[in-house]
Amino acid sequence: MTQVQTTISDKAPEPVGAYPHSKRVGNLLFLSGVGPRKKGSKDIPGVTLDENRNITAYDIETQCHSVFENVKNILESSGATWGDLVDVTVYLTNMKKDFPTYNKLWAQYFATNPPCRTTIEVTALPTPIAIELKCIAVMKD
């Protein structure tokens, strides 16, 4: 039987639902969707909300830096590294407006040996964020 290892990172924001940050099956590491929230708070870097928690303004660059940092922290808590990423699905809520900035930052964060990538526009994400990443890594033994 294949062993499954579950990780809840103490360096990443708490999950917004009943799911772990990652699961390792063999040498594959699957990360749950990761957004730009800060650990220990509902604050989202680069987002301005009104009294009903609706987005009134956001800075995609700030959110990208934060989500990449959260992914890195989950990878490290799970025993992997940034360089172990092999496939990333990126969800953006505004492809036309945000893709150029996100794509520029992606090229900086993955200057060498970038993982495969799929970028999808969605109408909304579970919290008031503009970007979420779903990642798969291959871990070295």
Side-chain angles (χ1 to χ4, degrees):
M1 181 170 211
T2 303
Q3 183 179 2
V4 177
Q5 179 183 354
T6 300
T7 300
I8 300 288
S9 174
D10 61 357
K11 296 192 262 178
E14 297 74 12
V16 295
Y19 57 86
H21 284 122
S22 71
K23 284 204 176 266
R24 180 178 180 171
V25 181
N27 69 337
L28 293 176
L29 182 68
F30 300 89
L31 274 62
S32 295
V34 180
R37 277 185 309 111
K38 286 296 181 194
K39 179 175 175 41
S41 124
K42 293 189 184 292
D43 291 343
I44 304 165
V47 174
T48 304
L49 302 174
D50 65 16
E51 63 278 354
N52 297 316
R53 293 198 49 82
N54 295 311
I55 300 171
T56 59
Y58 70 91
D59 177 350
I60 192 64
E61 184 168 350
T62 300
Q63 285 195 50
C64 286
H65 289 299
S66 185
V67 75
F68 290 155
E69 183 67 23
N70 287 341
V71 166
K72 180 178 172 283
N73 285 335
I74 293 169
L75 288 167
E76 290 174 358
S77 293
S78 304
T81 68
W82 189 253
D84 294 334
L85 287 170
V86 294
D87 188 58
V88 179
T89 302
V90 180
Y91 301 93
L92 295 175
T93 58
N94 190 330
M95 186 77 72
K96 186 175 184 179
K97 177 180 175 238
D98 297 337
F99 185 84
T101 300
Y102 139 76
N103 198 45
K104 175 188 73 166
L105 293 170
W106 176 277
Q108 292 170 8
Y109 277 83
F110 294 104
T112 59
N113 196 29
C116 293
R117 177 183 86 180
T118 301
T119 306
I120 301 166
E121 182 178 53
V122 295
T123 57
L125 290 161
T127 59
I129 59 177
I131 185 170
E132 182 173 293
L133 274 58
K134 174 77 176 101
C135 306
I136 301 171
V138 174
M139 299 179 67
K140 299 165 188 67
D141 290 326

